[in-house]
Amino acid sequence: MSRIESLKPMNRHVTIVPHFVDNETDTGVLLPDGYKQEESRFVRATVVDIAPDCKEDLKRMKRSSKSSVVAVVERSMIEEVAVSDRKHYVILENYIVGIYRRPDES
């Protein structure tokens, strides 16, 4: 059984999977390569892992969540780390604007 490598964040970083939108319209029509759709300053991202020195409330939320934690992060501050033909995305904890919660979560 093989294990998939993951990047363990350090120094107040959080490993995320950003929910980038492809260059496609709602109708399924592909847009030209040169077309630049106006991007929002913020993007949703699934939290994968949290550095040990991050704030305790962020770590507690990740531990106690029954499902994946989805955060809103500042798009321009997402860092892509490409190592061994794999891409990882990290962001400093202070660029997490908020966390989506279900109505039954406190």
Side-chain angles (χ1 to χ4, degrees):
M1 187 172 181
S2 67
R3 294 182 128 179
I4 297 176
E5 288 182 334
S6 64
L7 180 69
K8 175 66 180 165
M10 303 299 288
N11 298 320
R12 297 181 43 238
H13 281 87
V14 177
T15 306
I16 61 170
V17 176
H19 302 187
F20 294 128
V21 178
D22 289 337
N23 206 15
E24 190 174 307
T25 64
D26 291 340
T27 61
V29 176
L30 290 176
L31 299 171
D33 286 337
Y35 178 79
K36 283 295 274 183
Q37 187 174 4
E38 189 174 318
E39 294 180 330
S40 170
R41 180 176 166 200
F42 302 100
V43 65
R44 287 183 187 209
T46 301
V47 175
V48 177
D49 203 357
I50 300 169
D53 55 351
C54 283
K55 298 277 186 186
E56 190 58 40
D57 56 340
L58 184 61
K59 293 188 295 188
R60 188 178 325 111
M61 186 174 299
K62 175 80 171 119
R63 282 192 306 263
S64 66
S65 179
K66 295 177 180 126
S67 60
S68 57
V69 175
V70 178
V72 176
V73 301
E74 193 168 336
R75 178 189 299 271
S76 64
M77 300 312 292
I78 297 172
E79 296 181 57
E80 181 180 294
V81 180
V83 179
S84 301
D85 68 339
R86 287 204 47 166
K87 290 182 183 178
H88 306 276
Y89 296 93
V90 296
I91 193 161
L92 279 171
E93 70 175 329
N94 55 314
Y95 292 111
I96 296 175
V97 178
I99 303 290
Y100 277 97
R101 293 182 177 177
R102 292 188 314 271
D104 61 336
E105 292 179 319
S106 57

